[in-house]
Amino acid sequence: MTFRTDSADPGRDDYDLARLLVWERGFAKYDADLEADLLRRVHELFTEDEHRRALAYLAASEQDISRLAAIEVGLGKDATSDTAWLAGQLRTAWGRLDELRDRIDNSGALIDLHYMAEGINYVRGSRVQNELRDTVR
């Protein structure tokens, strides 16, 4: 199966592409073979470059806990109170974001898929998005 050769809408930015990818994932879940239907939809809607851009947009929002831990270890005792505070705030924010993601992902059929697709800008890296990215690779 090949991707589109020409863009369906050349002016779409990465946010629009990622939103469309999440939106299509919702439609694919009603098919008997989720992966095959999603791949078919992706190949019909995206060029290879657009698909790569959408996946990169979704992947950029993933939390890198090990990187944060390495930074904290690297700071050691030389860290200023502001630097240590900032690292702590980032860790706290990531924890709260995980809780928000869990609530969205566990809401199931109660949430409007279009509303969730629109919310990518606000809730990046949803486990639904991560599952989508892993499914279409």
Side-chain angles (χ1 to χ4, degrees):
M1 187 177 306
T2 60
F3 285 95
R4 291 180 61 93
T5 54
D6 298 320
S7 177
D9 185 5
R12 291 186 291 189
D13 61 14
D14 294 352
Y15 167 75
D16 291 331
L17 294 171
R19 191 180 71 185
L20 179 59
L21 195 57
V22 171
W23 179 256
E24 287 303 318
R25 170 67 162 89
F27 286 119
K29 73 180 178 181
Y30 297 110
D31 196 83
D33 187 355
L34 171 79
E35 287 78 20
D37 187 45
L38 181 59
L39 284 175
R40 182 187 56 75
R41 289 173 176 274
V42 165
H43 287 266
E44 288 175 0
L45 291 170
F46 296 98
T47 64
E48 190 170 0
D49 181 60
E50 287 173 334
H51 183 241
R52 182 195 51 74
R53 286 173 41 211
L55 292 177
Y57 184 91
L58 295 174
S61 64
E62 291 182 16
Q63 300 173 11
D64 192 350
I65 301 289
S66 59
R67 173 90 171 117
L68 180 60
I71 289 170
E72 288 174 331
V73 167
L75 291 172
K77 295 181 181 181
D78 296 333
T80 65
S81 59
D82 287 343
T83 307
W85 177 84
L86 192 57
Q89 291 299 306
L90 181 58
R91 188 172 293 283
T92 300
W94 281 354
R96 290 180 180 161
L97 186 57
D98 275 341
E99 181 180 345
L100 179 59
R101 288 179 183 145
D102 288 340
R103 289 181 184 207
I104 289 172
D105 293 341
N106 292 333
S107 65
L110 299 177
I111 193 166
D112 178 14
L113 182 62
H114 181 69
Y115 178 74
M116 186 176 78
E118 289 287 327
I120 290 175
N121 235 11
Y122 305 105
V123 187
R124 296 181 176 180
S126 166
R127 285 177 178 81
V128 172
Q129 295 171 21
N130 294 339
E131 178 183 313
L132 164 67
R133 190 194 64 252
D134 294 341
T135 301
V136 294
R137 279 195 181 162

